[in-house]
Amino acid sequence: MFDLTGKVAFVTGASSGIGMHIARILAERGCDLIITARRKDRLEKIAGELQSAHKVRVDVIEADLAMQDAPAKLYRDARALREDIDILVNNAGFGKQNNVVDQTLEEIRAMIQVNITSLTELTWLFAADMKARGNGRILQLSSIGAFQPSPVYAVYSAAKSYVLSFSYAMNHELKGTGVSVTTLCPGITETEFHDVAGHEKTGFMKSFSMTARKVALIGVNSMMKRKAMVIPGFSNAFNSWLMESMPRAFSTAIAASLMKKEH
């Protein structure tokens, strides 16, 4: 286990799911935290629990990363609280289950802003500070959806493909600087994601589901080992390799059959 006493981590989307468990694991290892999400009440409850249980400092910033000015403001607010941030976790993200033409333009813009634009801006801002200091770790949340087109999740899946490609390339660019970028690509996980997406999980999907705690633990450990990318779970890793190896039309058809609503 890695001792993170004295380190500071900034975690987005920390009010629930994988982000909340990443924050908990970091606190368990002695890391101070700045946690952010839209739901301030949840953040404050989590902050109180972690400070009491692990004697770490936890600061809360309420923010909506769907807003264009949110990344720059978050960066400024975080730096005002703690000048040196050692770990950045870009966990915030969401998807909507529907055909693209049946989604509103506002929903599409919000998905792109949160999953791509805000993530890119925060990575750029914090990575520059880390590079100047000669040390830092970044954990990016992608998905096994990054490995194939996913009808009814077209925008979300494409965004996660961007996260994987962008982060993998940036990790290579930063070699030798003391800064690393790790991309976590979970499969079906026990979080609020599908509730937000308006997607009832099928029995098949539930059979492959992992707990958010387990996914978070794999992600944190991989980040500390400076791995470029990790897919939690053997079946997820194998299926991602298989889908990526297939002709794209075939993998898209399979994804469509798995992602459609169960009637």
Side-chain angles (χ1 to χ4, degrees):
M1 188 176 77
F2 296 91
D3 183 8
L4 296 174
T5 302
K7 300 294 185 182
V8 181
F10 180 76
V11 185
T12 72
S15 63
S16 64
I18 296 171
M20 179 186 69
H21 284 284
I22 289 173
R24 290 188 183 281
I25 291 164
L26 292 172
E28 289 165 10
R29 298 180 181 185
C31 191
D32 290 339
L33 298 166
I34 301 171
I35 56 176
T36 183
R38 293 176 301 158
R39 295 173 289 192
K40 189 176 181 180
D41 57 335
R42 286 200 185 188
L43 291 174
E44 290 178 338
K45 181 180 179 182
I46 293 164
E49 291 172 358
L50 296 182
Q51 289 178 135
S52 176
H54 306 294
K55 310 306 177 187
V56 296
R57 173 178 167 179
V58 185
D59 292 296
V60 167
I61 304 175
E62 181 182 11
D64 183 358
L65 284 169
M67 307 301 292
Q68 289 187 3
D69 62 347
K73 186 177 185 303
L74 263 178
Y75 172 75
R76 291 193 302 270
D77 290 347
R79 288 294 305 274
L81 288 167
R82 305 298 294 265
E83 185 174 349
D84 293 334
I85 293 170
D86 306 283
I87 295 169
L88 168 65
V89 180
N90 273 316
N91 168 78
F94 76 99
K96 289 288 185 179
Q97 185 202 24
N98 216 341
N99 294 331
V100 173
V101 296
D102 295 323
Q103 295 175 356
T104 68
L105 190 55
E106 288 73 21
E107 287 175 330
I108 292 170
R109 284 174 173 161
M111 276 188 280
I112 292 171
Q113 178 67 42
V114 174
N115 296 325
I116 295 179
T117 308
S118 290
L119 176 142
T120 304
E121 290 187 28
L122 288 171
T123 304
W124 177 72
L125 288 163
F126 284 103
D129 291 341
M130 292 175 180
K131 183 180 178 182
R133 293 198 312 271
N135 189 56
R137 288 174 169 84
I138 298 172
L139 181 61
Q140 313 278 55
L141 264 291
S142 181
S143 164
I144 59 170
F147 296 98
Q148 80 279 321
S150 300
V152 304
Y153 280 108
V155 176
Y156 174 79
S157 181
K160 292 305 183 180
S161 293
Y162 170 88
V163 172
L164 176 59
S165 179
F166 164 73
S167 304
Y168 212 99
M170 194 167 178
N171 181 63
H172 185 86
E173 292 175 352
L174 291 167
K175 284 186 182 300
T177 67
V179 184
S180 56
V181 183
T182 300
T183 308
L184 176 63
C185 300
I188 305 299
T189 308
E190 294 171 11
T191 69
E192 297 175 355
F193 174 85
H194 288 86
D195 295 331
V196 173
H199 183 180
E200 184 178 349
K201 292 180 184 176
T202 65
F204 177 82
M205 291 167 67
K206 290 177 182 177
S207 69
F208 284 96
S209 185
M210 295 178 68
T211 66
R213 168 82 185 189
K214 186 172 183 179
V215 170
L217 188 59
I218 291 169
V220 170
N221 287 340
S222 298
M223 174 187 68
M224 296 311 300
K225 294 175 182 176
R226 299 189 185 276
K227 291 185 177 181
M229 188 268 289
V230 61
I231 304 173
F234 173 79
S235 61
N236 287 327
F238 177 77
N239 289 335
S240 296
W241 170 81
L242 188 63
M243 295 291 270
E244 200 173 27
S245 302
M246 290 178 183
R248 184 151 293 180
F250 193 28
S251 64
T252 301
I254 292 175
S257 67
L258 294 174
M259 291 296 105
K260 68 182 180 181
K261 291 183 179 181
E262 188 174 59
H263 296 288

